[in-house]
């Protein structure tokens, strides 16, 4: 039977627990196929963190996408990776006198004027920086699942509460949708805050805590998501040995894996997920294409 069909069958048998814990479904079924998460959308093929990037992920057949959330000067949550607009938009042309073009120094209306596609390819001219609200609606339309990164939370006091409020207003905190959402951050404080505000939400810490500290992280995070270069099979096993805040083994999603050889190597460490700009390359490498 096809590996993904096996995983789907196992998920059906395990029911809600598997829905909230996709890696556990694979392990319980003896199928060590990690989830594949399209990093900033399918950003190897479309401009990162845009609606077309998540459309592309869906077209390629992937349901999990990752993004980065920050906040504008007037308090709108937007989806963009850098703390500056410079690299991924034409902000230098549109607002030449406003270096260093920080996201937090521009209003949502100003950001909405920017082209977030031409830097990547002329074919994407006119693509916009999405608000988180627009992004979530497209996720819903595409029936996708979201690994949401709160980016640079130290720049945006209260962004955890604001993000959860938007998600709640859009229905994403309803029990039936919780398995489609993970909130992660490089900031342990931010993830702890998310867990305290909405304990039912699945959380992820971006980094590689030493094994001696994992018990602390297990109090507030369900996943430990390290850069792949820092990983070993022993470390993944050490993480799996701890139960997280929901009483399930901690999981590991590795980033950012864009070639077949590395995908196979990292899958061999028994990770639960691989975050990649090229999800089709990872899927093919894992033999599930
Ligand atoms: O999801 C992992 C990855 O997104 C973390 O790094 O810099 O791409 O946000 P970065
Ligand atoms: Ca990210």
């Amino acid at each position: 039977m096809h590996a993904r069909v096996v995983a789907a069958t196992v998920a059906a048998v395990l029911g809600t627990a598997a829905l909230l814990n996709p890696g556990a479904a694979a392990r319980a079924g003896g199928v060590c196929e990690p989830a594949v998460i399209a990093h900033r959308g399918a950003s190897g093929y479309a401009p990162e963190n845009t609606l077309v990037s998540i459309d592309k992920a869906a077209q390629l057949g992937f349901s999990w996408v990752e993004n980065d959330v920050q906040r504008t000067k007037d308090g709108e949550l937007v989806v963009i990776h850098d703390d500056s607009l410079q690299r991924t938009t034409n902000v230098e042309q549109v607002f030449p006198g406003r270096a260093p073009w920080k996201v937090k120094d521009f209003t949502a209306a100003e950001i909405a004027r920017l082209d977030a596609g031409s830097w990547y390819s002329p074919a994407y001219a006119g693509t916009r920086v999405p608000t988180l609200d627009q992004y979530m609606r497209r996720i819903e339309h595409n029936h996708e699942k979201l690994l949401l990164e709160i980016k640079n939370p130290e720049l945006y006091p209260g962004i955890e509460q604001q993000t959860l409020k938007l998600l709640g207003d859009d229905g994403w905190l309803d029990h039936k949708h919780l398995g489609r959402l993970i909130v992660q951050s490089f900031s342990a404080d931010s993830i702890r805050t998310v867990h305290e505000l909405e304990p039912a939400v699945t959380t992820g810490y971006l980094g590689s805590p030493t094994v001696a500290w994992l018990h602390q992280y297990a109090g507030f995070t369900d996943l430990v998501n390290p850069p792949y270069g820092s990983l070993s099979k022993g470390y993944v096993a050490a993480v799996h040995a701890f139960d997280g805040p929901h009483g399930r083994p901690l999981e590991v999603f590795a980033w950012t894996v864009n070639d077949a050889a590395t995908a196979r190597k990292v899958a061999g460490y028994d990770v639960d997920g691989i975050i990649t700009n090229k999800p089709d390359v990872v899927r093919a490498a894992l033999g599930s294409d």
Side-chain angles (χ1 to χ4, degrees):
M1 191 183 294
H2 192 288
R4 272 176 293 170
V5 176
V6 173
T9 305
V10 171
V13 171
L14 294 179
T16 305
L19 184 68
L20 295 174
N21 195 8
R27 286 198 301 277
V31 180
C32 297
E33 184 188 346
V36 179
I37 300 97
H39 181 236
R40 312 182 195 170
S43 59
Y45 309 111
E48 64 184 57
N49 279 324
T50 64
L51 299 185
V52 289
S53 76
I54 59 176
D55 289 350
K56 184 65 182 175
Q59 287 161 14
L60 291 170
F62 293 90
S63 55
W64 276 104
V65 298
E66 189 261 7
N67 75 356
D68 303 282
V69 175
Q70 301 192 69
R71 190 164 69 202
T72 66
K73 183 179 181 181
D74 54 343
E76 185 87 38
L77 296 174
V78 288
V79 179
I80 188 167
H81 179 270
D82 298 3
D83 66 357
S84 167
L85 296 152
Q86 189 177 11
R87 179 177 64 89
T88 57
T89 76
N90 62 343
V91 69
E92 282 187 75
Q93 293 166 256
V94 180
F95 299 104
R98 290 177 61 183
W101 301 286
K102 297 290 186 184
V103 174
K104 67 180 177 55
D105 295 332
F106 284 76
T107 66
E110 288 171 337
I111 291 175
R113 290 175 52 193
L114 302 177
D115 182 330
S118 290
W119 71 274
Y120 185 87
S121 161
Y124 291 104
T127 301
R128 301 297 167 192
V129 175
T131 66
L132 181 59
D133 195 44
Q134 292 166 341
Y135 189 96
M136 296 312 296
R137 289 174 199 282
R138 187 65 68 95
I139 288 274
E140 181 60 37
H141 177 266
N142 291 348
H143 306 290
E144 290 174 305
K145 299 180 261 192
L146 179 61
L147 176 57
L148 183 156
E149 182 183 341
I150 298 178
K151 186 60 104 184
N152 303 319
E154 67 281 1
L155 298 178
Y156 312 108
I159 192 172
E160 297 85 7
Q161 189 159 22
Q162 185 179 1
T163 300
L164 291 169
K165 169 83 166 54
L166 184 149
L167 293 171
D169 289 348
D170 286 351
W172 284 88
L173 304 186
D174 296 352
H175 180 73
K176 64 183 176 183
H177 292 307
L178 283 173
R180 298 172 60 197
L181 175 70
I182 301 169
V183 179
Q184 67 172 359
S185 181
F186 282 102
S187 163
D189 286 344
S190 187
I191 286 310
R192 193 184 295 107
T193 298
V194 168
H195 177 66
E196 288 170 359
L197 289 169
E198 288 290 345
V201 170
T202 301
T203 51
Y205 172 69
L206 281 162
S208 315
T210 60
V211 172
W213 281 96
L214 285 173
H215 69 284
Q216 300 271 17
Y217 286 81
F220 58 86
T221 192
D222 298 278
L223 295 94
V224 171
N225 296 343
Y228 73 84
S230 74
L231 273 180
S232 67
K233 191 158 184 161
Y235 184 77
V236 175
V239 175
H240 284 160
F242 287 90
D243 282 347
H246 298 100
R248 307 187 300 261
L250 295 183
E251 296 199 356
V252 178
F253 284 9
W255 49 274
T256 303
V257 176
N258 295 323
D259 67 274
T262 306
R264 281 192 287 270
K265 181 176 176 183
V266 169
Y269 296 157
D270 295 333
V271 300
D272 305 281
I274 295 179
I275 299 168
T276 171
N277 299 342
K278 297 182 175 180
D280 54 337
V281 169
V282 171
R283 181 172 62 192
L286 301 184
S288 50
D289 219 0

